[in-house]
Structure formats: C-alpha cells, structure tokens
Amino acid sequence: MALELVYTSAERGLRAGTSGFCTVAMTRGLPPALVPRLEALGGYRPGPSGDGPRAHCFWRVETAGSVAHVLAVVGPAPPDHTQRTNKIAAYLVLGQDELVPAGPAWLLAQRGLLRERWAGAPAWIEAPVRVPASGPHGL
C-alpha cells in the first residue's frame, strides 16, 4: 500500500511549528528521512492569474541506503489563508509490489489516485492508498 504526503500553503502544518508551505497531511509510517526530500521536490510556478498546468512526475529518491519510488502531481491550488496564489504537491511512495508493468505514466493517468486538493486542518492519513494493478494485458 502506497504512503502519501500532501504539501501546500497553510496557516498551520502537520508538524508543530510549521506554517506557510509545509506538509498538511501524511500517512503514518512514512519514513522520516523521506519527508524533507519529498517537500523539496514540489517546485512549481503558477501563471500570473494563479493557474497553470499540473506537473506529473515519477522519481527514484535515494535516502540512507534505500530507494523510494515516488509518484507526484504538483499544480495550482485555491488561494491560501493569506489569499496569495498557492500550489499543492501530492506524493505517493510506492512499495516494490506497486511498480506495475504498465509503468508510472499509466499510474499517473489513473483519476483520483493522487490528491488535487486539500481543505481543512492538517491531518494524519490513517489508511495507505490502494494502488490499482495494471490494466488489461499489463497496459
């Protein structure tokens, strides 16, 4: 089951003392060494009106002798608590058994797999994300 992290601008982050662009949601059990690495990956510049395309990404992130396979979508979000333009970055850390034969592009095309919004208070995500198996004939 994939572990999730959501990063956006918020008045208060999930970890004590964090605000502004920070983690607002995360699955329990996400390796602590991976959190700052994911937070650093979400660079995005919205257009002048705050809109723009979503960037879909797949990374192999190395941390302390291990490799994490990470799917991500980064894109515009509604204005933050200060009414400034905002972005949201949603990450899924895949287990080895979730690396489907159809590849990461196929996973990124699955609607609803990665969050495109976050509203409300920061929260721990209790249930890992269920990643779909590849489509018919591995495609």
Short mmCIF file of all heavy atoms in Angstrom, two decimals, residues 6-25 39 80-82 86 118-124:
data_model
loop_
_atom_site.label_atom_id
_atom_site.label_comp_id
_atom_site.label_asym_id
_atom_site.label_seq_id
_atom_site.Cartn_x
_atom_site.Cartn_y
_atom_site.Cartn_z
N VAL A 6 1.02 15.22 1.51
CA VAL A 6 0.39 16.36 0.84
C VAL A 6 1.07 17.63 1.35
O VAL A 6 1.16 17.86 2.56
CB VAL A 6 -1.13 16.43 1.11
CG1 VAL A 6 -1.74 17.62 0.38
CG2 VAL A 6 -1.80 15.12 0.71
N TYR A 7 1.52 18.48 0.41
CA TYR A 7 2.30 19.67 0.70
C TYR A 7 1.64 20.87 0.03
O TYR A 7 1.41 20.85 -1.18
CB TYR A 7 3.71 19.46 0.15
CG TYR A 7 4.71 20.54 0.42
CD1 TYR A 7 5.42 20.58 1.61
CD2 TYR A 7 4.97 21.51 -0.54
CE1 TYR A 7 6.37 21.57 1.84
CE2 TYR A 7 5.92 22.49 -0.32
CZ TYR A 7 6.61 22.51 0.88
OH TYR A 7 7.55 23.48 1.11
N THR A 8 1.29 21.89 0.82
CA THR A 8 0.67 23.09 0.27
C THR A 8 0.87 24.23 1.26
O THR A 8 1.45 24.04 2.33
CB THR A 8 -0.84 22.86 0.00
OG1 THR A 8 -1.38 23.94 -0.77
CG2 THR A 8 -1.64 22.66 1.27
N SER A 9 0.39 25.42 0.94
CA SER A 9 0.49 26.54 1.86
C SER A 9 -0.70 26.50 2.82
O SER A 9 -1.85 26.41 2.39
CB SER A 9 0.51 27.87 1.10
OG SER A 9 0.61 28.94 2.01
N ALA A 10 -0.39 26.58 4.10
CA ALA A 10 -1.44 26.51 5.12
C ALA A 10 -1.06 27.35 6.33
O ALA A 10 0.12 27.60 6.59
CB ALA A 10 -1.65 25.06 5.54
N GLU A 11 -2.07 27.76 7.06
CA GLU A 11 -1.84 28.54 8.27
C GLU A 11 -1.09 27.73 9.32
O GLU A 11 -0.30 28.25 10.09
CB GLU A 11 -3.18 29.02 8.82
CG GLU A 11 -3.07 30.03 9.91
CD GLU A 11 -4.40 30.66 10.26
OE1 GLU A 11 -5.43 30.31 9.66
OE2 GLU A 11 -4.40 31.52 11.15
N ARG A 12 -1.34 26.41 9.29
CA ARG A 12 -0.69 25.51 10.25
C ARG A 12 -0.41 24.19 9.55
O ARG A 12 -1.27 23.65 8.87
CB ARG A 12 -1.61 25.29 11.45
CG ARG A 12 -1.05 24.43 12.54
CD ARG A 12 -1.96 24.43 13.77
NE ARG A 12 -3.31 23.99 13.50
CZ ARG A 12 -3.73 22.72 13.59
NH1 ARG A 12 -2.89 21.77 13.95
NH2 ARG A 12 -4.98 22.40 13.34
N GLY A 13 0.80 23.68 9.73
CA GLY A 13 1.17 22.40 9.14
C GLY A 13 0.94 21.24 10.08
O GLY A 13 0.57 21.42 11.25
N LEU A 14 1.20 20.06 9.59
CA LEU A 14 1.01 18.84 10.38
C LEU A 14 2.00 18.77 11.54
O LEU A 14 1.64 18.38 12.65
CB LEU A 14 1.16 17.61 9.47
CG LEU A 14 0.93 16.25 10.10
CD1 LEU A 14 -0.49 16.13 10.64
CD2 LEU A 14 1.19 15.15 9.08
N ARG A 15 3.24 19.14 11.28
CA ARG A 15 4.24 19.12 12.35
C ARG A 15 4.20 20.42 13.13
O ARG A 15 4.03 21.49 12.54
CB ARG A 15 5.63 18.87 11.76
CG ARG A 15 5.74 17.47 11.17
CD ARG A 15 7.16 17.13 10.72
NE ARG A 15 7.80 18.14 9.90
CZ ARG A 15 7.70 18.23 8.59
NH1 ARG A 15 6.98 17.36 7.91
NH2 ARG A 15 8.32 19.17 7.93
N ALA A 16 4.35 20.35 14.42
CA ALA A 16 4.30 21.52 15.30
C ALA A 16 5.26 22.60 14.81
O ALA A 16 6.39 22.31 14.43
CB ALA A 16 4.64 21.11 16.73
N GLY A 17 4.79 23.83 14.82
CA GLY A 17 5.63 24.97 14.46
C GLY A 17 5.77 25.23 12.97
O GLY A 17 6.50 26.12 12.57
N THR A 18 5.09 24.46 12.12
CA THR A 18 5.21 24.68 10.67
C THR A 18 3.99 25.45 10.16
O THR A 18 2.88 25.28 10.66
CB THR A 18 5.35 23.36 9.89
OG1 THR A 18 4.23 22.52 10.15
CG2 THR A 18 6.64 22.64 10.28
N SER A 19 4.24 26.30 9.18
CA SER A 19 3.17 27.05 8.51
C SER A 19 3.72 27.50 7.17
O SER A 19 4.89 27.27 6.86
CB SER A 19 2.74 28.25 9.35
OG SER A 19 3.81 29.16 9.49
N GLY A 20 2.88 28.18 6.38
CA GLY A 20 3.30 28.52 5.02
C GLY A 20 3.34 27.25 4.20
O GLY A 20 2.52 26.35 4.40
N PHE A 21 4.28 27.13 3.28
CA PHE A 21 4.38 25.89 2.51
C PHE A 21 4.95 24.81 3.41
O PHE A 21 6.07 24.91 3.90
CB PHE A 21 5.22 26.08 1.24
CG PHE A 21 4.47 26.79 0.16
CD1 PHE A 21 4.73 28.12 -0.12
CD2 PHE A 21 3.48 26.14 -0.55
CE1 PHE A 21 4.02 28.79 -1.10
CE2 PHE A 21 2.76 26.80 -1.53
CZ PHE A 21 3.03 28.12 -1.81
N CYS A 22 4.13 23.79 3.64
CA CYS A 22 4.50 22.73 4.58
C CYS A 22 3.64 21.49 4.33
O CYS A 22 2.69 21.52 3.57
CB CYS A 22 4.32 23.21 6.02
SG CYS A 22 2.64 23.75 6.40
N THR A 23 3.99 20.41 4.99
CA THR A 23 3.20 19.19 4.92
C THR A 23 1.93 19.38 5.73
O THR A 23 2.00 19.74 6.91
CB THR A 23 4.01 18.00 5.44
OG1 THR A 23 5.12 17.79 4.56
CG2 THR A 23 3.18 16.73 5.50
N VAL A 24 0.78 19.13 5.10
CA VAL A 24 -0.50 19.24 5.80
C VAL A 24 -1.14 17.89 6.06
O VAL A 24 -2.05 17.78 6.87
CB VAL A 24 -1.50 20.15 5.04
CG1 VAL A 24 -0.99 21.59 5.01
CG2 VAL A 24 -1.78 19.63 3.64
N ALA A 25 -0.65 16.87 5.38
CA ALA A 25 -1.19 15.52 5.59
C ALA A 25 -0.13 14.50 5.20
O ALA A 25 0.66 14.73 4.28
CB ALA A 25 -2.44 15.30 4.75
N GLU A 39 9.30 17.09 0.38
CA GLU A 39 8.93 18.50 0.46
C GLU A 39 9.75 19.35 -0.50
O GLU A 39 9.26 20.32 -1.05
CB GLU A 39 9.11 19.00 1.90
CG GLU A 39 8.10 18.42 2.86
CD GLU A 39 8.36 18.80 4.30
OE1 GLU A 39 9.52 19.12 4.65
OE2 GLU A 39 7.41 18.76 5.09
N ASP A 80 -4.27 30.57 -0.72
CA ASP A 80 -4.04 30.11 0.65
C ASP A 80 -4.74 31.03 1.66
O ASP A 80 -5.51 31.92 1.28
CB ASP A 80 -2.54 29.99 0.93
CG ASP A 80 -1.80 31.32 1.03
OD1 ASP A 80 -2.44 32.39 0.93
OD2 ASP A 80 -0.57 31.28 1.21
N HIS A 81 -4.46 30.82 2.93
CA HIS A 81 -5.11 31.57 4.01
C HIS A 81 -4.81 33.07 3.97
O HIS A 81 -5.52 33.86 4.56
CB HIS A 81 -4.71 30.99 5.37
CG HIS A 81 -3.24 31.05 5.63
ND1 HIS A 81 -2.33 30.20 5.02
CD2 HIS A 81 -2.52 31.88 6.41
CE1 HIS A 81 -1.11 30.51 5.43
NE2 HIS A 81 -1.20 31.52 6.27
N THR A 82 -3.77 33.48 3.22
CA THR A 82 -3.44 34.90 3.07
C THR A 82 -3.97 35.46 1.74
O THR A 82 -3.68 36.59 1.41
CB THR A 82 -1.92 35.12 3.14
OG1 THR A 82 -1.32 34.48 2.00
CG2 THR A 82 -1.33 34.57 4.43
N ASN A 86 -1.35 29.78 -4.74
CA ASN A 86 -0.98 28.59 -3.99
C ASN A 86 -0.71 27.43 -4.95
O ASN A 86 -1.08 27.47 -6.12
CB ASN A 86 -2.13 28.23 -3.04
CG ASN A 86 -1.74 27.26 -1.95
OD1 ASN A 86 -0.59 26.86 -1.83
ND2 ASN A 86 -2.71 26.89 -1.15
N TRP A 118 -6.58 20.04 -0.97
CA TRP A 118 -6.59 19.80 0.47
C TRP A 118 -7.33 20.96 1.10
O TRP A 118 -7.04 22.11 0.81
CB TRP A 118 -5.19 19.68 1.05
CG TRP A 118 -5.26 19.41 2.52
CD1 TRP A 118 -5.19 20.32 3.54
CD2 TRP A 118 -5.48 18.15 3.12
NE1 TRP A 118 -5.35 19.69 4.74
CE2 TRP A 118 -5.53 18.35 4.52
CE3 TRP A 118 -5.64 16.87 2.63
CZ2 TRP A 118 -5.73 17.31 5.42
CZ3 TRP A 118 -5.84 15.83 3.52
CH2 TRP A 118 -5.88 16.05 4.89
N ALA A 119 -8.28 20.65 1.96
CA ALA A 119 -9.01 21.68 2.69
C ALA A 119 -9.12 21.24 4.14
O ALA A 119 -9.16 20.05 4.44
CB ALA A 119 -10.40 21.87 2.10
N GLY A 120 -9.13 22.20 5.01
CA GLY A 120 -9.32 21.89 6.41
C GLY A 120 -8.01 21.80 7.17
O GLY A 120 -6.95 22.20 6.69
N ALA A 121 -8.11 21.28 8.37
CA ALA A 121 -6.98 21.21 9.29
C ALA A 121 -5.98 20.15 8.83
O ALA A 121 -6.33 19.20 8.13
CB ALA A 121 -7.49 20.87 10.69
N PRO A 122 -4.72 20.30 9.25
CA PRO A 122 -3.74 19.26 8.98
C PRO A 122 -4.20 17.93 9.60
O PRO A 122 -4.89 17.94 10.62
CB PRO A 122 -2.47 19.76 9.67
CG PRO A 122 -2.71 21.20 9.95
CD PRO A 122 -4.18 21.41 10.03
N ALA A 123 -3.81 16.81 8.99
CA ALA A 123 -4.28 15.53 9.50
C ALA A 123 -3.33 14.40 9.13
O ALA A 123 -2.69 14.44 8.08
CB ALA A 123 -5.66 15.21 8.91
N TRP A 124 -3.25 13.43 10.01
CA TRP A 124 -2.56 12.18 9.70
C TRP A 124 -3.49 11.34 8.84
O TRP A 124 -4.69 11.28 9.11
CB TRP A 124 -2.20 11.42 10.97
CG TRP A 124 -1.09 12.06 11.72
CD1 TRP A 124 -1.19 12.89 12.79
CD2 TRP A 124 0.30 11.93 11.43
NE1 TRP A 124 0.06 13.30 13.18
CE2 TRP A 124 0.99 12.73 12.36
CE3 TRP A 124 1.02 11.23 10.46
CZ2 TRP A 124 2.38 12.83 12.36
CZ3 TRP A 124 2.40 11.34 10.47
CH2 TRP A 124 3.06 12.13 11.41
#
